[in-house]
mmCIF file with all atom_site columns, all heavy atoms in Angstrom:
data_model
loop_
_atom_site.group_PDB
_atom_site.id
_atom_site.type_symbol
_atom_site.label_atom_id
_atom_site.label_alt_id
_atom_site.label_comp_id
_atom_site.label_asym_id
_atom_site.label_entity_id
_atom_site.label_seq_id
_atom_site.pdbx_PDB_ins_code
_atom_site.Cartn_x
_atom_site.Cartn_y
_atom_site.Cartn_z
_atom_site.occupancy
_atom_site.B_iso_or_equiv
_atom_site.pdbx_formal_charge
_atom_site.auth_seq_id
_atom_site.auth_comp_id
_atom_site.auth_asym_id
_atom_site.auth_atom_id
_atom_site.pdbx_PDB_model_num
ATOM 1  N N   . ALA A 1 56 ? 54.451 89.003 89.362 1.00 87.00 ? 56 ALA A N   1
ATOM 2  C CA  . ALA A 1 56 ? 53.908 89.250 87.989 1.00 87.00 ? 56 ALA A CA  1
ATOM 3  C C   . ALA A 1 56 ? 54.531 90.514 87.452 1.00 87.00 ? 56 ALA A C   1
ATOM 4  O O   . ALA A 1 56 ? 54.771 91.468 88.208 1.00 87.00 ? 56 ALA A O   1
ATOM 5  C CB  . ALA A 1 56 ? 52.408 89.311 87.987 1.00 87.00 ? 56 ALA A CB  1
ATOM 6  N N   . ILE A 1 65 ? 56.251 97.298 85.552 1.00 89.00 ? 65 ILE A N   1
ATOM 7  C CA  . ILE A 1 65 ? 56.234 97.217 87.015 1.00 89.00 ? 65 ILE A CA  1
ATOM 8  C C   . ILE A 1 65 ? 56.207 95.715 87.387 1.00 89.00 ? 65 ILE A C   1
ATOM 9  O O   . ILE A 1 65 ? 55.856 94.903 86.604 1.00 89.00 ? 65 ILE A O   1
ATOM 10 C CB  . ILE A 1 65 ? 55.053 97.963 87.658 1.00 89.00 ? 65 ILE A CB  1
ATOM 11 C CG1 . ILE A 1 65 ? 53.703 97.349 87.177 1.00 89.00 ? 65 ILE A CG1 1
ATOM 12 C CG2 . ILE A 1 65 ? 55.103 99.456 87.386 1.00 89.00 ? 65 ILE A CG2 1
ATOM 13 C CD1 . ILE A 1 65 ? 52.469 97.997 87.826 1.00 89.00 ? 65 ILE A CD1 1
ATOM 14 N N   . ARG A 1 66 ? 56.633 95.480 88.623 1.00 88.00 ? 66 ARG A N   1
ATOM 15 C CA  . ARG A 1 66 ? 56.544 94.077 89.171 1.00 88.00 ? 66 ARG A CA  1
ATOM 16 C C   . ARG A 1 66 ? 55.615 94.111 90.368 1.00 88.00 ? 66 ARG A C   1
ATOM 17 O O   . ARG A 1 66 ? 55.826 94.915 91.246 1.00 88.00 ? 66 ARG A O   1
ATOM 18 C CB  . ARG A 1 66 ? 57.897 93.533 89.551 1.00 88.00 ? 66 ARG A CB  1
ATOM 19 C CG  . ARG A 1 66 ? 57.745 92.040 89.926 1.00 88.00 ? 66 ARG A CG  1
ATOM 20 C CD  . ARG A 1 66 ? 59.104 91.480 90.231 1.00 88.00 ? 66 ARG A CD  1
ATOM 21 N NE  . ARG A 1 66 ? 59.624 91.973 91.471 1.00 88.00 ? 66 ARG A NE  1
ATOM 22 C CZ  . ARG A 1 66 ? 60.846 91.704 91.964 1.00 88.00 ? 66 ARG A CZ  1
ATOM 23 N NH1 . ARG A 1 66 ? 61.667 90.966 91.344 1.00 88.00 ? 66 ARG A NH1 1
ATOM 24 N NH2 . ARG A 1 66 ? 61.243 92.273 93.128 1.00 88.00 ? 66 ARG A NH2 1
ATOM 25 N N   . PHE A 1 67 ? 54.621 93.261 90.322 1.00 87.00 ? 67 PHE A N   1
ATOM 26 C CA  . PHE A 1 67 ? 53.778 93.042 91.490 1.00 87.00 ? 67 PHE A CA  1
ATOM 27 C C   . PHE A 1 67 ? 54.227 91.820 92.236 1.00 87.00 ? 67 PHE A C   1
ATOM 28 O O   . PHE A 1 67 ? 54.344 90.761 91.643 1.00 87.00 ? 67 PHE A O   1
ATOM 29 C CB  . PHE A 1 67 ? 52.300 92.862 91.068 1.00 87.00 ? 67 PHE A CB  1
ATOM 30 C CG  . PHE A 1 67 ? 51.326 93.002 92.169 1.00 87.00 ? 67 PHE A CG  1
ATOM 31 C CD1 . PHE A 1 67 ? 50.957 94.237 92.691 1.00 87.00 ? 67 PHE A CD1 1
ATOM 32 C CD2 . PHE A 1 67 ? 50.852 91.885 92.831 1.00 87.00 ? 67 PHE A CD2 1
ATOM 33 C CE1 . PHE A 1 67 ? 50.107 94.329 93.753 1.00 87.00 ? 67 PHE A CE1 1
ATOM 34 C CE2 . PHE A 1 67 ? 49.985 91.934 93.866 1.00 87.00 ? 67 PHE A CE2 1
ATOM 35 C CZ  . PHE A 1 67 ? 49.559 93.178 94.367 1.00 87.00 ? 67 PHE A CZ  1
ATOM 36 N N   . VAL A 1 76 ? 53.281 96.569 94.523 1.00 83.00 ? 76 VAL A N   1
ATOM 37 C CA  . VAL A 1 76 ? 54.234 96.818 93.440 1.00 83.00 ? 76 VAL A CA  1
ATOM 38 C C   . VAL A 1 76 ? 55.528 97.136 94.115 1.00 83.00 ? 76 VAL A C   1
ATOM 39 O O   . VAL A 1 76 ? 55.670 98.041 94.955 1.00 83.00 ? 76 VAL A O   1
ATOM 40 C CB  . VAL A 1 76 ? 53.766 98.027 92.605 1.00 83.00 ? 76 VAL A CB  1
ATOM 41 C CG1 . VAL A 1 76 ? 54.825 98.457 91.625 1.00 83.00 ? 76 VAL A CG1 1
ATOM 42 C CG2 . VAL A 1 76 ? 52.451 97.729 91.876 1.00 83.00 ? 76 VAL A CG2 1
ATOM 43 N N   . ASP A 1 77 ? 56.583 96.315 93.856 1.00 85.00 ? 77 ASP A N   1
ATOM 44 C CA  . ASP A 1 77 ? 57.854 96.475 94.505 1.00 85.00 ? 77 ASP A CA  1
ATOM 45 C C   . ASP A 1 77 ? 58.987 96.915 93.522 1.00 85.00 ? 77 ASP A C   1
ATOM 46 O O   . ASP A 1 77 ? 60.086 97.227 93.952 1.00 85.00 ? 77 ASP A O   1
ATOM 47 C CB  . ASP A 1 77 ? 58.292 95.263 95.249 1.00 85.00 ? 77 ASP A CB  1
ATOM 48 C CG  . ASP A 1 77 ? 58.611 94.016 94.363 1.00 85.00 ? 77 ASP A CG  1
ATOM 49 O OD1 . ASP A 1 77 ? 58.252 94.038 93.180 1.00 85.00 ? 77 ASP A OD1 1
ATOM 50 O OD2 . ASP A 1 77 ? 59.178 93.087 94.894 1.00 85.00 ? 77 ASP A OD2 1
ATOM 51 N N   . VAL A 1 78 ? 58.639 96.984 92.218 1.00 83.00 ? 78 VAL A N   1
ATOM 52 C CA  . VAL A 1 78 ? 59.620 97.456 91.230 1.00 83.00 ? 78 VAL A CA  1
ATOM 53 C C   . VAL A 1 78 ? 58.861 98.292 90.206 1.00 83.00 ? 78 VAL A C   1
ATOM 54 O O   . VAL A 1 78 ? 57.844 97.871 89.714 1.00 83.00 ? 78 VAL A O   1
ATOM 55 C CB  . VAL A 1 78 ? 60.334 96.307 90.507 1.00 83.00 ? 78 VAL A CB  1
ATOM 56 C CG1 . VAL A 1 78 ? 61.207 96.788 89.344 1.00 83.00 ? 78 VAL A CG1 1
ATOM 57 C CG2 . VAL A 1 78 ? 61.146 95.463 91.463 1.00 83.00 ? 78 VAL A CG2 1
#
Side-chain angles (χ1 to χ4, degrees):
I65 59 176
R66 184 177 73 186
F67 191 83
V76 173
D77 67 346
V78 173

